[in-house]
Amino acid sequence: KSQRGPAKRNSAVELKQLLVSIVLDSECDLYPNVTSDESYSLVVKAPVAFLKANRVWGALRGLETFSQLIYQDSYGTFTINECNIIDSPRFPHRGILIDTARHFLPIKSILETLDAMAFNKFNVLHWHIVDDQSFPYQSVTFPELSNKGSYSLSHVYTPTDVHTVIEYARLRGIRVIPEFDSPGHTQSWGKGQKNLLTPCYNGHKQSETFGPINPILNSTYSFLSQLFKEVSAVFPDQFIHLGGDEVEFKCWESNPEIRDFMKWKGFGEDYKKLESFYVQKVLDIASTVNKGAIVWQEVFDDHVKLQPGTIVQVWKFQSYSEEQAQVTAAGFPVILSAPWYLDWISYGQDWKGYYKVDPLDFSGSPEQKKLVMGGEACLWGEYVDATNLTPRLWPRASAIGERLWSHSDVKDLEDAYNRLTVHRCRMVSRGIAAEPLYTGYCNH
């Protein structure tokens, strides 16, 4: 944010009006996307303030800034200072990951999260909607997936619920990217879709347990084609997250039919080749329904042939800068999450560590740096449900929001602390139960 002339506390003005003008086609009826223009300029000078943006997305961000410039003076009067701001985000992808499979999150909690995201200028909700533990997404094509795979019939997201989330997000300039992670992380899928998962073997007989999705059956890909055709119609964003992480090979190795298939294909004993075979087919399905794909880093690490433009999400903390260098050197866009796993909690002010990260801090050419789309704060749900989602997310994620929005030289920790304590109280006054940064109190 470039601020021409500092907003001094003594430069308070009496404001009669805020005029908002959108210069180009507003895009009011569209969905936001990765190229949406979020820039704006704001001039506060008595008696009228002017907010100017090319598109509605910039106007939304500018209105948020305007609301944060207002404060109460010692007499309780609502006050704003003269200022001149020209602002735009440093990165186009600024996301929050929520996990509704380990614990179901009621729609109310998701909508509240979208409100808080807008207060912090985040623009992507990465909805990790299903996993091993439960399948709450209610599919019209395959209703048994949630009938059998959800925790209970009240722990499901109906088509209406999903539409509500997408529209609520759209009105706040937030994209909703669903994640249907496979071939691992799919135990719940198998409950409602027969013959989808791989039967595991103990020696010569089936052990009554199941592993990842069975990659050797035509029925698998026909099922996935139909499922993703539906998902692509339900979720308007141009990207789907296809997962691809943490695939356990043990069950595949135990299955005689899979071993025969491996021989027939000439894969030898290299089960990464089988994983690649599967992922490539799923990537083809995604492009058939006109969606771009996002995958977790293992897909890249295991040398799956990726279509140009496939986005790789870097999540493993160890050597994540080197991983970014390798992925971008291969020409693929990157989303960084590795240093921002908010489910890892510790005593003290961990927000400082999140704040100090710079997503471009790796060795690579300017062209490589341009491939960094931004990042995501991930809040996995093993220990998170509606009771603690909000305080665990905020204001810790706010530090990441600033890192992804503001210029790289905005990094003074003391200044950030002072602003973040005020902002945390602002969120609390707006009904977001953000936890405290440290000792102190809120004025309101």
Side-chain angles (χ1 to χ4, degrees):
K1 189 182 285 139
S2 67
Q3 201 159 317
R4 307 234 174 111
K8 296 194 183 76
R9 287 281 167 180
N10 58 9
S11 57
V13 293
E14 192 171 340
L15 207 57
K16 298 268 197 281
Q17 200 181 9
L18 168 65
L19 274 182
V20 181
S21 62
I22 295 174
V23 182
L24 306 174
D25 173 38
S26 72
E27 299 186 350
C28 266
D29 298 326
L30 303 184
Y31 289 95
N33 63 54
V34 73
T35 61
S36 291
D37 184 347
E38 296 175 288
S39 64
Y40 66 91
S41 63
L42 176 63
V43 179
V44 177
K45 206 167 159 63
V48 180
F50 293 95
L51 169 58
K52 211 159 128 182
N54 289 330
R55 310 283 187 194
V56 69
W57 321 115
L60 288 170
R61 305 300 171 237
L63 285 167
E64 184 54 47
T65 294
F66 181 79
S67 78
Q68 294 183 18
L69 291 169
I70 296 166
Y71 63 97
Q72 277 182 290
D73 67 14
S74 50
Y75 301 105
T77 311
F78 285 100
T79 310
I80 192 163
N81 296 324
E82 284 196 356
C83 61
N84 186 347
I85 293 168
I86 297 167
D87 197 13
S88 61
R90 184 178 172 206
F91 294 103
H93 186 115
R94 306 180 306 282
I96 298 283
L97 177 147
I98 58 166
D99 168 3
T100 57
R102 274 52 180 255
H103 284 97
F104 182 84
L105 294 171
I107 290 296
K108 182 171 173 271
S109 298
I110 298 175
L111 301 185
E112 183 181 274
T113 300
L114 289 166
D115 279 332
M117 286 171 66
F119 301 157
N120 290 275
K121 297 192 175 83
F122 280 96
N123 67 352
V124 177
L125 179 72
H126 174 168
W127 191 353
H128 187 89
I129 193 165
V130 297
D131 208 297
D132 282 330
Q133 292 80 0
S134 74
F135 197 107
Y137 171 78
Q138 195 177 68
S139 164
V140 176
T141 321
F142 300 104
E144 288 303 288
L145 288 171
S146 62
N147 284 348
K148 301 264 173 67
S150 62
Y151 282 133
S152 85
L153 293 180
S154 59
H155 293 88
V156 297
Y157 300 110
T158 65
T160 306
D161 291 334
V162 173
H163 177 75
T164 299
V165 169
I166 291 167
E167 183 59 13
Y168 199 88
R170 185 185 82 82
L171 293 172
R172 285 151 187 76
I174 296 170
R175 301 161 59 200
V176 178
I177 298 179
E179 180 182 353
F180 287 82
D181 188 358
S182 73
H185 289 277
T186 49
Q187 288 297 298
S188 68
W189 303 38
K191 292 174 180 169
Q193 184 64 20
K194 270 182 76 128
N195 302 322
L196 179 65
L197 302 184
T198 306
C200 311
Y201 278 72
N202 254 338
H204 290 296
K205 64 178 207 288
Q206 288 190 22
S207 65
E208 303 304 313
T209 59
F210 294 89
I213 284 179
N214 191 334
I216 71 171
L217 302 177
N218 289 338
S219 58
T220 291
Y221 300 105
S222 136
F223 161 77
L224 291 168
S225 293
Q226 290 175 76
L227 178 67
F228 282 117
K229 188 179 175 192
E230 176 190 320
V231 166
S232 73
V234 170
F235 291 89
D237 200 84
Q238 67 268 54
F239 283 93
I240 295 182
H241 202 304
L242 297 173
D245 63 319
E246 299 180 318
V247 184
E248 271 280 333
F249 294 151
K250 240 197 214 121
C251 183
W252 282 352
E253 289 165 0
S254 77
N255 184 299
E257 286 172 9
I258 287 193
R259 286 204 306 271
D260 290 346
F261 182 84
M262 294 275 289
K263 271 195 205 110
W264 178 64
K265 277 286 188 189
F267 291 165
E269 298 284 305
D270 187 355
Y271 284 85
K272 284 183 182 177
K273 285 184 176 160
L274 182 60
E275 176 194 21
S276 298
F277 170 82
Y278 171 85
V279 172
Q280 270 165 260
K281 279 187 170 288
V282 177
L283 287 167
D284 289 344
I285 288 168
S287 67
T288 305
V289 294
N290 293 318
K291 294 290 186 186
I294 307 175
V295 293
W296 295 110
Q297 72 178 70
E298 285 95 322
V299 174
F300 173 82
D301 297 343
D302 294 348
H303 310 296
V304 176
K305 278 196 190 75
L306 297 176
Q307 284 147 359
T310 303
I311 299 174
V312 177
Q313 188 160 1
V314 174
W315 70 274
K316 294 185 176 182
F317 187 75
Q318 204 176 355
S319 330
Y320 68 81
S321 300
E322 284 165 40
E323 181 78 11
Q324 283 181 286
Q326 286 170 14
V327 174
T328 53
F332 294 107
V334 159
I335 294 167
L336 181 65
S337 293
W340 294 322
Y341 264 42
L342 300 189
D343 48 303
W344 287 92
I345 52 173
S346 57
Y347 185 77
Q349 298 193 46
D350 53 5
W351 70 270
K352 291 180 179 178
Y354 307 144
Y355 191 75
K356 285 179 188 166
V357 171
D358 190 304
L360 300 189
D361 190 11
F362 63 91
S363 53
S365 66
E367 276 61 43
Q368 281 175 263
K369 307 276 168 121
K370 280 187 198 132
L371 286 167
V372 179
M373 312 296 297
E376 286 183 3
C378 298
L379 188 58
W380 295 99
E382 286 87 353
Y383 303 97
V384 176
D385 68 6
T387 64
N388 63 345
L389 169 75
T390 299
R392 192 158 290 190
L393 198 45
W394 311 105
R396 294 159 77 222
S398 305
I400 299 157
E402 174 156 310
R403 179 52 55 238
L404 292 171
W405 178 281
S406 295
H407 198 271
S408 58
D409 58 12
V410 179
K411 55 184 182 196
D412 183 294
L413 267 180
E414 195 180 337
D415 177 56
Y417 175 80
N418 293 333
R419 288 181 296 105
L420 194 50
T421 47
V422 172
H423 184 57
R424 178 259 165 174
C425 288
R426 182 186 296 121
M427 285 196 283
V428 173
S429 72
R430 291 178 180 186
I432 303 297
E435 67 180 16
L437 286 171
Y438 191 50
T439 56
Y441 70 103
C442 289
N443 283 319
H444 63 268

